[in-house]
């Protein structure tokens, strides 16, 4: 009986410590807004609306882009190399890169990401003035925004 009480007391102590740790854990950082749209011009490869989705975990951030380009042929998973350059409201540019993409069927919008980048608290990233460069099957396509992001730039905590 004595061993059972010690086991119960130890379990209660561990549970209390875990709850306390959660209560004092730092709040998750967030990017606002987490989704933005742009009108993109990709030259001979097309133009139209693109959607950008951003996430943040400390200084690490990702952006996934569903572009205005329709795939002319099926594209296999992780077959696109991408570089996304934002204008940083705090000065300079911030670059996100990666080789991740889902498998894409002919005619479907080209989606790339998550592309990885590093941000600082207070960074305000706007795609207007930057670019998205994708390389697929040895062909380089560069897309640029024709106006500011809507509803506005990504602001990181």
């Amino acid at each position: 009986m004595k061993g059972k009480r010690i086991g119960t007391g130890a379990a209660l102590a561990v549970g209390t410590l875990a709850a306390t740790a959660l209560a004092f854990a730092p709040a998750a950082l967030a990017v606002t807004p987490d989704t933005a749209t742009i009108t993109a011009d990709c030259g001979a490869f097309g133009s139209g609306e693109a959607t950008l989705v951003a996430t943040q975990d400390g200084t690490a951030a990702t952006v996934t882009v569903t572009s205005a380009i329709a795939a002319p042929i099926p594209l296999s998973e992780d077959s696109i190399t991408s570089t996304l350059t934002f204008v940083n409201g705090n000065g300079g540019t911030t670059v996100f890169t990666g080789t991740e993409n889902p498998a894409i069927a002919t005619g479907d919008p080209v989606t790339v990401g998550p592309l990885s980048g590093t941000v600082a608290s207070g960074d305000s990233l706007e795609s207007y003035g930057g670019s998205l460069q994708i390389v697929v099957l040895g062909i380089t396509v560069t897309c640029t925004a024709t106006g500011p992001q809507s509803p506005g730039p990504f602001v990181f905590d």
Side-chain angles (χ1 to χ4, degrees):
M1 186 70 140
K2 188 176 185 178
K4 196 174 200 179
R5 277 186 274 186
I6 290 173
T8 303
L12 270 172
V14 168
T16 301
L17 285 173
T20 302
L22 282 174
F24 290 104
L29 297 175
V31 56
T32 307
D34 60 355
T35 302
T37 58
I38 60 169
T39 300
D41 179 0
C42 302
F45 296 94
S47 62
E49 189 172 279
T51 303
L52 296 83
V53 177
T55 65
Q56 179 183 9
D57 184 7
T59 61
T62 64
V63 177
T64 300
V65 181
T66 301
S67 75
I69 304 171
I73 59 172
L75 300 171
S76 60
E77 182 177 1
D78 300 337
S79 62
I80 301 172
T81 300
S82 305
T83 303
L84 176 61
T85 304
F86 285 100
V87 174
N88 190 329
N90 295 328
T93 59
T94 301
V95 177
F96 288 73
T97 60
T99 57
E100 293 188 49
N101 64 273
I104 303 167
T106 301
D108 284 353
V110 173
T111 298
V112 295
L115 307 177
S116 300
T118 302
V119 296
S121 181
D123 277 356
S124 177
L125 304 183
E126 169 65 61
S127 58
Y128 187 51
S131 66
L132 170 65
Q133 184 178 69
I134 63 172
V135 179
V136 59
L137 303 172
I139 299 169
T140 300
V141 178
T142 301
C143 299
T144 56
T146 60
Q149 288 174 204
S150 177
F154 294 121
V155 178
F156 294 86
D157 282 344

